Amino acid sequence: MSIENSKADKFDFVDRALAERVEQQRFRSLQSVVPIDGVWVWKQGRKLLNFSANDYLGLSKHPVLIEAAQTYTHRYGTGATASRLVAGNYDIHHQLEEKLAAACGRESALLFSSGFQANMTILGALLNPQSCVFCDRLIHSSLIQGIRASGARFYRYAHSDLDQLERLLKKASSQSFDRLMIVTETVFSMDGDRSDVDALIRLANRYGAILYLDDAHAIGVLGKRGMGLAAFQPDVDLVVGTFGKAFGAFGAFVACSRKLRDYLINCCPGFIYTTALPPAVIGAIDAALDLIPNLDTERQHLTKQSQNLRDRLQAMGYSTLNSDTQIVPIVVGESARTLELSQALEAKDILAVAIRPPTVPEGSARIRLALSSQHQEEHLERLFEALEAYVH
């Protein structure tokens, strides 16, 4: 091959990958929207009712969060300017971590830049090639990527099949692994169902396994004082929560023991080498943390609307899997048909994005509906009318 041809061909792999995604109806592109309030957005000059955001309590537009973000910016500036171990460890970071730990009923907490970054780097710090990990088949990509990057041996048990998990744990416990770990989500981001946290705790204790739970889609919405399904559970070793969903902000944290916090500060590259979260974000999170424990009325409304949505969809013949949370999938199956439904809904001024493989398993492409406490009866009626028009 000549030098000229070599240069021309060096990105052939990109062309092949993109062509494959187009052929399989999996090509993705960025679509800009402009938020109006908790449930409406502008897209290409049209006002759409949004059923695809994770703003479960509508806090991203809450005036108290906006005011706190502005106040913190005026006092501390727009950026933290350094990593926490250098000069970016502001008093507000430490204060928020103490407040988060207390709110979750844990000894301590540590802030991270995002949920994906937290899962990737924490798992990498806790595992090594001599470790063995057991994870639910439907866990988030960030968890899988973190486990793979660690070099640990890992096994994926069938979704929520804790009998299979126990068989795997029993077998591994007689082998020469230096540590065992169970990794799963509390609320599954694409199916909207829950893990049995109490049963997972029993298995982890029985086999001496580290229990790592991603509570991203539960925190703010479920559990004691809305602090998630893993809150106030001292036998859960590490709980990761995010602020970009019910908190209406950005970033993530891990709640754990003081010993594990010290370990991560010293041994977790994603914490050590990352600039601290900016003051405006810390202010918004702090304000949300004050509000969330007092939003029981909003959570009850969200629960009621989610059940209403599931009942109506099932009556229309749609599968919502085992959803019992604010995440309600409409399983279509084929990617092309799922895209068609999403486009039909958008033509009726409904934003409901198609989720396709590899994000979900083959043959299970879906519309993932994410409800907010800001959605009212009339909003659901608009959705049902649009779905009925598509069916007929």
Side-chain angles (χ1 to χ4, degrees):
M1 180 183 294
S2 69
I3 293 176
E4 290 76 13
N5 286 339
S6 176
K7 288 180 178 179
D9 296 339
K10 68 181 180 181
F11 286 117
D12 276 357
F13 72 95
V14 173
D15 295 330
R16 290 194 300 272
L18 293 177
E20 180 180 288
R21 278 156 178 77
V22 170
E23 182 181 353
Q24 296 175 348
Q25 298 286 328
R26 296 180 185 178
F27 183 79
R28 294 166 169 83
S29 61
L30 296 175
Q31 303 291 318
S32 296
V33 299
V34 178
I36 300 171
D37 57 24
V39 294
W40 293 95
V41 298
W42 289 107
K43 182 180 179 184
Q44 298 178 343
R46 293 174 55 212
K47 186 179 180 182
L48 304 181
L49 183 56
N50 188 3
F51 282 100
S52 289
N54 296 326
D55 193 7
Y56 300 134
L57 297 173
L59 292 183
S60 70
K61 314 298 184 301
H62 198 290
V64 172
L65 271 71
I66 294 170
E67 182 181 0
Q70 292 170 339
T71 299
Y72 276 53
T73 298
H74 285 305
R75 181 175 177 185
Y76 291 91
T78 58
T81 74
S83 66
R84 296 278 300 279
L85 286 170
V86 180
N89 189 40
Y90 293 178
D91 58 343
I92 52 176
H93 295 106
H94 181 65
Q95 290 161 10
L96 178 58
E97 287 169 341
E98 289 192 330
K99 196 170 178 178
L100 281 163
C104 294
R106 304 305 297 261
E107 280 189 350
S108 63
L110 190 64
L111 294 170
F112 284 83
S113 296
S114 74
F116 198 104
Q117 181 240 18
N119 283 332
M120 277 283 296
T121 195
I122 293 171
L123 287 167
L126 293 171
L127 298 167
N128 63 37
Q130 288 74 50
S131 308
C132 189
V133 185
F134 308 93
C135 53
D136 190 291
R137 182 161 292 280
L138 297 188
I139 59 171
H140 193 267
S141 175
S142 60
L143 297 164
I144 291 292
Q145 299 304 322
I147 296 166
R148 283 178 171 160
S150 75
R153 178 85 59 89
F154 73 100
Y155 298 93
R156 301 172 75 172
Y157 58 90
H159 181 47
S160 294
D161 188 344
L162 299 192
D163 290 334
Q164 184 185 13
L165 171 59
E166 180 161 24
R167 290 193 296 272
L168 291 169
L169 284 164
K170 186 175 182 179
K171 181 177 180 180
S173 64
S174 63
Q175 297 176 335
S176 59
F177 297 110
D178 69 350
R179 71 204 70 162
L180 305 179
M181 180 184 286
I182 300 169
V183 176
T184 190
E185 298 175 64
T186 58
V187 170
F188 290 89
S189 60
M190 291 296 126
D191 286 37
D193 57 345
R194 315 181 196 197
S195 287
D196 186 337
V197 174
D198 290 338
L200 287 166
I201 290 170
R202 288 193 295 272
L203 286 175
N205 287 341
R206 186 177 303 157
Y207 292 96
I210 298 168
L211 182 55
Y212 183 111
L213 298 182
D214 185 330
D215 216 19
H217 292 274
I219 192 164
V221 178
L222 301 169
K224 184 178 179 180
R225 306 186 76 206
M227 290 310 297
L229 293 177
F232 301 94
Q233 297 271 20
D235 286 336
V236 178
D237 298 298
L238 300 102
V239 180
V240 170
T242 56
F243 305 121
K245 299 174 177 66
F247 271 70
F250 180 75
F253 73 100
V254 61
C256 56
S257 67
R258 289 189 186 91
K259 179 169 69 174
L260 280 172
R261 182 179 187 272
D262 287 343
Y263 175 81
L264 294 173
I265 289 170
N266 285 275
C267 302
C268 182
F271 175 84
I272 296 168
Y273 302 108
T274 298
T275 299
L277 284 172
V281 170
I282 298 298
I285 296 167
D286 186 72
L289 190 55
D290 286 337
L291 290 172
I292 283 173
N294 302 308
L295 297 180
D296 285 342
T297 300
E298 286 78 2
R299 282 187 281 273
Q300 290 165 8
H301 172 75
L302 181 57
T303 298
K304 180 181 177 182
Q305 294 291 66
S306 301
Q307 189 58 54
N308 179 27
L309 176 59
R310 278 188 293 274
D311 291 344
R312 291 283 296 273
L313 289 172
Q314 290 166 12
M316 295 173 70
Y318 288 109
S319 168
T320 60
L321 301 176
N322 293 316
S323 164
D324 63 350
T325 67
Q326 74 280 1
I327 299 168
V328 183
I330 302 177
V331 179
V332 178
E334 297 175 0
S335 293
R337 288 184 56 225
T338 308
L339 285 168
E340 181 184 275
L341 174 55
S342 178
Q343 291 160 2
L345 291 173
E346 188 164 323
K348 296 290 185 178
D349 299 328
I350 303 288
L351 181 62
V353 176
I355 306 294
R356 295 161 284 164
T359 305
V360 293
E362 291 287 345
S364 71
R366 68 199 63 182
I367 303 294
R368 175 191 179 272
L369 301 174
L371 288 191
S372 165
S373 62
Q374 303 300 299
H375 283 118
Q376 304 301 323
E377 292 287 348
E378 60 267 27
H379 299 140
L380 294 188
E381 287 303 322
R382 288 176 68 111
L383 173 63
F384 296 138
E385 288 172 8
L387 286 168
E388 287 171 354
Y390 173 75
V391 171
H392 296 114

